[in-house]
Amino acid sequence: MRFLVAWDGSDGAQAALRQAQALAGAGGQLDLVQILNPLMDAADVEAPSRHEAMAIVSERARAAMATYAAGAGQHVIVLEHGEEVPDRLLQEAARLGVDVIVIASRRAAGLRGVLGSVTQQVLHDSRIPVLVVRA
């Protein structure tokens, strides 16, 4: 089976990765996918252009993610987005042909049982199974 793990480096994302690794076993494939926002993620990077700033940020993200995706069949994918994050995750899941999307929950502060907006949108719009891991 092939799993897409939504990645942002958080404790929740790490829990989602551990769960996907357990489910995938030795024969499964994992794709860690992080969606970067050029306006936010490259805001503190000094570079001659936004494109070069995003290249720096993307390389940093790849390097950080690679420490978690050390096993066979685990791939790191960093994407720049211009659309909404949930839409971009679903587009990448379709492009890769994954069987399951694994994503961490992010409860809205003070609201028990409410998932984060990205997780809710992925659950709502996905045509493939979504495993939500409690963060």
Coordinates of all heavy atoms in Angstrom, one line a residue, residues 27-83:
G27 N 6.7 -3.7 3.3 CA 6.4 -3.6 1.9 C 5.7 -2.3 1.4 O 5.5 -2.1 0.2
G28 N 5.3 -1.5 2.3 CA 4.5 -0.3 2.0 C 5.4 0.8 1.5 O 6.6 0.8 1.7
Q29 N 4.8 1.8 1.0 CA 5.5 3.0 0.5 C 4.9 4.2 1.2 O 3.6 4.4 1.3 CB 5.4 3.2 -1.0 CG 6.2 4.4 -1.5 CD 6.2 4.4 -3.0 OE1 6.0 3.4 -3.7 NE2 6.6 5.5 -3.5
L30 N 5.7 5.1 1.7 CA 5.3 6.4 2.4 C 5.8 7.6 1.6 O 7.0 7.6 1.3 CB 5.8 6.4 3.8 CG 5.4 5.3 4.8 CD1 6.2 5.4 6.0 CD2 3.9 5.4 5.0
D31 N 4.9 8.5 1.4 CA 5.3 9.8 0.9 C 5.0 10.9 1.9 O 3.8 11.1 2.2 CB 4.5 10.1 -0.4 CG 4.9 9.1 -1.5 OD1 6.0 9.0 -1.9 OD2 3.9 8.3 -1.9
L32 N 6.0 11.5 2.4 CA 5.8 12.7 3.3 C 5.7 13.9 2.5 O 6.6 14.2 1.6 CB 7.1 12.8 4.2 CG 7.1 12.0 5.5 CD1 7.5 10.6 5.1 CD2 8.1 12.6 6.4
V33 N 4.6 14.6 2.6 CA 4.3 15.7 1.8 C 4.1 17.0 2.6 O 3.3 17.0 3.5 CB 3.1 15.5 0.9 CG1 2.8 16.7 0.1 CG2 3.2 14.3 0.0
Q34 N 5.0 18.0 2.4 CA 4.9 19.2 3.1 C 4.5 20.3 2.1 O 5.2 20.4 1.0 CB 6.2 19.6 3.8 CG 6.0 20.9 4.6 CD 7.2 21.1 5.6 OE1 8.1 20.3 5.7 NE2 7.1 22.2 6.3
I35 N 3.5 21.1 2.4 CA 3.1 22.2 1.6 C 3.6 23.5 2.1 O 3.4 23.8 3.3 CB 1.5 22.3 1.5 CG1 0.9 20.9 1.2 CG2 1.1 23.4 0.5 CD1 1.2 20.4 -0.2
L36 N 4.4 24.2 1.4 CA 5.0 25.5 1.8 C 4.3 26.6 1.2 O 3.9 26.6 0.0 CB 6.5 25.5 1.4 CG 7.4 24.4 2.0 CD1 8.8 24.5 1.5 CD2 7.4 24.6 3.5
N37 N 4.1 27.7 2.0 CA 3.5 28.9 1.5 C 4.6 29.9 1.3 O 5.3 30.3 2.3 CB 2.5 29.4 2.6 CG 1.9 30.7 2.2 OD1 2.4 31.5 1.4 ND2 0.7 30.9 2.8
P38 N 4.9 30.4 0.1 CA 6.0 31.3 -0.2 C 5.9 32.6 0.6 O 6.9 33.2 1.0 CB 5.8 31.6 -1.7 CG 5.0 30.5 -2.2 CD 4.2 30.0 -1.1
L39 N 4.7 33.1 0.9 CA 4.6 34.4 1.6 C 4.9 34.2 3.1 O 5.4 35.1 3.7 CB 3.1 34.9 1.5 CG 2.7 35.2 0.0 CD1 1.3 35.7 0.0 CD2 3.7 36.3 -0.6
M40 N 4.6 33.0 3.7 CA 4.9 32.8 5.1 C 6.2 32.1 5.3 O 7.0 32.6 6.2 CB 3.7 32.0 5.7 CG 2.4 32.8 5.7 SD 1.1 31.8 6.3 CE 1.5 31.6 8.0
D41 N 6.5 31.0 4.6 CA 7.6 30.2 4.9 C 8.9 30.8 4.5 O 10.0 30.5 5.0 CB 7.4 28.8 4.3 CG 6.3 28.1 5.0 OD1 6.2 28.0 6.2 OD2 5.4 27.6 4.2
A42 N 8.9 31.7 3.5 CA 10.1 32.3 3.0 C 10.3 33.8 3.5 O 11.2 34.5 3.1 CB 10.2 32.3 1.5
A43 N 9.4 34.2 4.4 CA 9.4 35.6 4.8 C 10.7 36.0 5.5 O 11.1 37.2 5.3 CB 8.2 35.9 5.7
D44 N 11.3 35.1 6.2 CA 12.5 35.5 6.9 C 13.8 35.1 6.2 O 14.9 35.3 6.7 CB 12.5 34.9 8.3 CG 12.6 33.4 8.3 OD1 12.3 32.8 7.2 OD2 13.0 32.7 9.3
V45 N 13.7 34.7 5.0 CA 14.9 34.3 4.2 C 15.4 35.4 3.3 O 14.6 36.0 2.5 CB 14.6 33.1 3.3 CG1 15.8 32.7 2.5 CG2 14.1 31.9 4.2
E46 N 16.6 35.8 3.4 CA 17.2 36.8 2.6 C 17.8 36.2 1.3 O 18.6 35.3 1.4 CB 18.3 37.5 3.3 CG 17.8 38.4 4.5 CD 18.9 39.3 5.1 OE1 19.8 39.7 4.3 OE2 18.8 39.5 6.3
A47 N 17.2 36.6 0.2 CA 17.6 36.0 -1.1 C 17.3 37.1 -2.2 O 16.4 37.9 -2.0 CB 16.9 34.7 -1.4
P48 N 17.9 37.0 -3.3 CA 17.7 38.0 -4.4 C 16.2 38.0 -5.0 O 15.8 39.0 -5.5 CB 18.7 37.6 -5.5 CG 19.7 36.8 -4.8 CD 19.1 36.1 -3.6
S49 N 15.6 36.8 -4.9 CA 14.2 36.7 -5.4 C 13.4 35.7 -4.5 O 13.9 34.9 -3.8 CB 14.2 36.2 -6.8 OG 14.6 34.8 -6.8
R50 N 12.1 35.8 -4.7 CA 11.2 34.9 -4.0 C 11.5 33.5 -4.4 O 11.4 32.5 -3.6 CB 9.7 35.3 -4.2 CG 8.8 34.4 -3.3 CD 7.4 34.9 -3.4 NE 6.9 34.5 -4.7 CZ 5.6 34.5 -5.0 NH1 4.7 34.9 -4.1 NH2 5.2 34.2 -6.2
H51 N 11.7 33.3 -5.7 CA 12.0 31.9 -6.2 C 13.3 31.3 -5.5 O 13.2 30.2 -5.1 CB 12.2 32.0 -7.7 CG 12.6 30.7 -8.3 ND1 11.7 29.7 -8.4 CD2 13.8 30.2 -8.7 CE1 12.3 28.6 -9.0 NE2 13.6 28.9 -9.2
E52 N 14.3 32.1 -5.3 CA 15.5 31.6 -4.7 C 15.3 31.4 -3.2 O 15.8 30.5 -2.6 CB 16.7 32.6 -4.9 CG 17.1 32.6 -6.4 CD 18.1 33.7 -6.7 OE1 18.0 34.8 -6.2 OE2 19.1 33.4 -7.4
A53 N 14.5 32.3 -2.6 CA 14.1 32.1 -1.2 C 13.4 30.8 -1.0 O 13.6 30.1 0.0 CB 13.3 33.3 -0.7
M54 N 12.4 30.5 -1.9 CA 11.7 29.3 -1.7 C 12.6 28.0 -2.0 O 12.4 27.0 -1.3 CB 10.5 29.2 -2.7 CG 9.3 30.0 -2.2 SD 8.8 29.5 -0.5 CE 8.2 27.8 -0.8
A55 N 13.6 28.2 -2.8 CA 14.5 27.1 -3.0 C 15.3 26.8 -1.7 O 15.5 25.6 -1.4 CB 15.5 27.4 -4.2
I56 N 15.7 27.8 -1.0 CA 16.4 27.7 0.3 C 15.4 27.0 1.3 O 15.8 26.0 2.0 CB 16.9 29.0 0.8 CG1 18.0 29.5 -0.1 CG2 17.3 28.9 2.2 CD1 18.4 31.0 0.1
V57 N 14.2 27.5 1.4 CA 13.2 27.0 2.3 C 12.9 25.5 2.0 O 12.8 24.7 2.9 CB 12.0 27.8 2.4 CG1 10.9 27.2 3.2 CG2 12.3 29.2 2.9
S58 N 12.7 25.2 0.7 CA 12.4 23.8 0.3 C 13.5 22.9 0.7 O 13.3 21.8 1.1 CB 12.2 23.8 -1.2 OG 11.0 24.5 -1.5
E59 N 14.8 23.3 0.4 CA 15.9 22.5 0.8 C 16.0 22.2 2.3 O 16.3 21.1 2.7 CB 17.2 23.1 0.3 CG 18.4 22.1 0.4 CD 18.2 20.7 -0.2 OE1 17.6 20.6 -1.2 OE2 18.6 19.8 0.5
R60 N 15.7 23.2 3.1 CA 15.7 23.1 4.5 C 14.7 22.1 4.9 O 14.9 21.2 5.8 CB 15.5 24.4 5.2 CG 16.6 25.4 5.2 CD 16.2 26.7 5.9 NE 17.2 27.7 5.7 CZ 17.0 29.0 6.0 NH1 15.8 29.4 6.4 NH2 18.0 29.9 5.8
A61 N 13.5 22.2 4.3 CA 12.4 21.3 4.7 C 12.7 19.9 4.3 O 12.5 18.9 5.1 CB 11.1 21.8 4.0
R62 N 13.3 19.7 3.1 CA 13.7 18.4 2.7 C 14.7 17.7 3.6 O 14.6 16.6 4.0 CB 14.3 18.4 1.3 CG 13.3 18.3 0.2 CD 14.0 18.2 -1.2 NE 13.0 18.3 -2.2 CZ 12.5 19.4 -2.7 NH1 12.9 20.5 -2.2 NH2 11.6 19.4 -3.6
A63 N 15.7 18.5 4.0 CA 16.7 18.0 4.9 C 16.1 17.6 6.3 O 16.4 16.6 6.8 CB 17.8 19.1 5.1
A64 N 15.2 18.4 6.8 CA 14.6 18.1 8.1 C 13.7 16.9 8.0 O 13.7 16.0 8.8 CB 13.8 19.3 8.6
M65 N 13.0 16.8 6.9 CA 12.1 15.6 6.7 C 12.8 14.4 6.4 O 12.4 13.3 6.8 CB 11.1 15.9 5.5 CG 10.1 17.0 5.8 SD 9.3 17.6 4.3 CE 8.3 16.2 3.8
A66 N 14.0 14.4 5.8 CA 14.8 13.3 5.5 C 15.2 12.5 6.8 O 15.4 11.3 6.7 CB 16.0 13.6 4.7
T67 N 15.4 13.2 7.9 CA 15.8 12.6 9.1 C 14.6 11.7 9.6 O 14.9 10.7 10.3 CB 16.1 13.6 10.2 OG1 15.0 14.4 10.5 CG2 17.3 14.5 9.8
Y68 N 13.4 11.9 9.2 CA 12.3 11.1 9.6 C 12.0 10.0 8.6 O 11.4 9.0 9.0 CB 11.0 12.0 9.9 CG 11.2 12.9 11.0 CD1 11.6 14.2 10.8 CD2 10.9 12.5 12.3 CE1 11.8 15.1 11.9 CE2 11.1 13.3 13.4 CZ 11.5 14.6 13.2 OH 11.7 15.4 14.3
A69 N 12.3 10.3 7.4 CA 12.0 9.3 6.3 C 13.2 8.6 5.9 O 13.7 8.7 4.8 CB 11.4 10.1 5.1
A70 N 13.8 7.9 6.9 CA 15.0 7.2 6.6 C 14.9 5.8 6.1 O 15.8 5.2 5.6 CB 15.8 7.1 8.0
G71 N 13.7 5.2 6.2 CA 13.5 3.8 5.8 C 13.3 3.6 4.3 O 13.0 4.6 3.5
A72 N 13.4 2.4 3.9 CA 13.2 2.1 2.4 C 11.7 2.4 2.1 O 10.8 2.2 2.9 CB 13.5 0.6 2.2
G73 N 11.5 2.8 0.9 CA 10.1 3.1 0.5 C 9.5 4.4 1.1 O 8.3 4.6 1.0
Q74 N 10.3 5.2 1.7 CA 9.9 6.5 2.2 C 10.5 7.6 1.4 O 11.7 7.7 1.3 CB 10.2 6.6 3.7 CG 9.6 5.5 4.5 CD 9.9 5.6 6.0 OE1 9.8 6.7 6.5 NE2 10.1 4.5 6.6
H75 N 9.6 8.5 0.9 CA 10.0 9.6 0.1 C 9.6 10.9 0.7 O 8.5 11.0 1.3 CB 9.4 9.4 -1.3 CG 9.8 8.1 -2.0 ND1 8.9 7.1 -2.0 CD2 10.9 7.7 -2.5 CE1 9.5 6.0 -2.6 NE2 10.7 6.4 -2.9
V76 N 10.3 11.9 0.4 CA 10.1 13.3 0.9 C 9.6 14.1 -0.3 O 10.3 14.2 -1.4 CB 11.3 13.9 1.5 CG1 11.2 15.4 1.8 CG2 11.6 13.1 2.8
I77 N 8.5 14.8 -0.2 CA 8.0 15.7 -1.3 C 7.7 17.0 -0.6 O 6.9 17.1 0.3 CB 6.8 15.1 -2.0 CG1 7.1 13.7 -2.6 CG2 6.3 16.1 -3.0 CD1 5.9 13.0 -3.0
V78 N 8.3 18.1 -1.1 CA 8.0 19.5 -0.6 C 7.4 20.2 -1.8 O 8.0 20.3 -2.9 CB 9.3 20.2 -0.1 CG1 9.0 21.6 0.3 CG2 10.0 19.4 1.0
L79 N 6.3 20.8 -1.6 CA 5.5 21.5 -2.6 C 5.3 22.9 -2.3 O 5.0 23.2 -1.1 CB 4.2 20.8 -2.9 CG 4.2 19.3 -3.3 CD1 2.8 18.8 -3.2 CD2 4.8 19.2 -4.7
E80 N 5.4 23.8 -3.2 CA 5.0 25.2 -3.1 C 3.5 25.3 -3.5 O 3.1 24.6 -4.4 CB 5.8 26.1 -4.0 CG 5.6 27.5 -3.8 CD 6.5 28.4 -4.7 OE1 7.7 28.0 -4.9 OE2 6.1 29.4 -5.1
H81 N 2.8 26.0 -2.8 CA 1.4 26.1 -3.1 C 0.9 27.5 -3.4 O 1.4 28.5 -2.9 CB 0.5 25.5 -2.0 CG 0.3 26.4 -0.8 ND1 -0.7 27.3 -0.8 CD2 0.9 26.5 0.4 CE1 -0.7 28.0 0.4 NE2 0.3 27.5 1.1
G82 N -0.1 27.5 -4.3 CA -0.8 28.8 -4.6 C -2.2 28.6 -4.3 O -3.0 29.6 -4.2
E83 N -2.6 27.3 -4.1 CA -4.0 27.1 -3.7 C -4.1 26.8 -2.2 O -3.1 27.0 -1.5 CB -4.5 25.8 -4.5 CG -4.3 25.9 -5.9 CD -3.0 25.2 -6.4 OE1 -2.5 24.3 -5.7 OE2 -2.5 25.7 -7.4

